[in-house]
Each structure stands twice: as structure tokens, then as C-alpha cells.
Amino acid sequence: RTNMNAVKQFDRLCRTVRRHAVAITVDRCLHLKTAITSLPDGSLIAVRGWVDTTMFERLGYTVHLASEDSGGDVLCVGNDVILPADAPETAAMIRGLGFEVHQIDVSELQKIEAGVTCLSVLI
């Protein structure tokens, strides 16, 4: 949904605040956050085959793999993790990491590839 020229322009902006941009290719989805999101401890949850996690691992992130396709799009509120109701195995795995998990039905929104991150406003 972008090109390398845009990535380079964004990288120039990021460098003004001592950050840098990295291009990530996603497959089988439109949005990066559909494929991979962060958990409260800073680790990541990703859908296998939707995004190459190598870059994230090289940057020092721990990457957990979701059991279901909808399990890579989670929303964190403090130490609580909100994820779609149709990802029970991923929910159990995240609970096993020590987080409080809340599953919600977003099935109608999933029809247009929207998930819990699409329904949030970060403040």
C-alpha cells in the first residue's frame, strides 16, 4: 500500500526524532496490524505466513505465533489483551503468558478485514 519512495520520505521524518523506518512486506492481508501487533510486555503476536517476522526478530523482538488467522490483531489496554472471539487457541496462549484476555465478537467487521485495532483510538 506504499512504495519505497514513500518509505524513504517517512524515514527522513523519523530520523528527525532519532528513529528510522523499515519497510515490511505483508501477505494475505491489507494492513500490517492485521498480521502482527504487540503484547503488553513488548513482545509481538503474528499470523504465520502473513508477515516475515525475521526483521522483527533481528531487531530484538520476541515473536509469538497466533494459532488462528485472526489472532495476530490484538489490542492492549494496560496488561489486558483484547482479541477476536474466533481465536480461542491464541487467547489461551496469551493467557499462558500471564495476561488477562478478553475476547469479543467482531465477525461482522472481519468480513471487511477490520479487527480490534481498527476499533480503537489510542489516547
Side-chain angles (χ1 to χ4, degrees), residues 28-44:
R28 298 182 48 203
C29 61
L30 294 175
H31 308 283
L32 180 63
K33 289 193 306 184
T34 303
I36 188 167
T37 50
S38 62
L39 292 170
D41 64 359
S43 65
L44 304 172

Side-chain angles (χ1 to χ4, degrees), residues 3 7 15 18 40 43-44 46 50 52 63 66 70 74 84 92 95 119:
N3 59 37
V7 172
R15 289 179 187 276
R18 290 184 240 161
S43 65
L44 304 172
W50 285 23
D52 183 358
V63 179
S70 62
V74 304
R95 274 190 201 93
L119 306 173

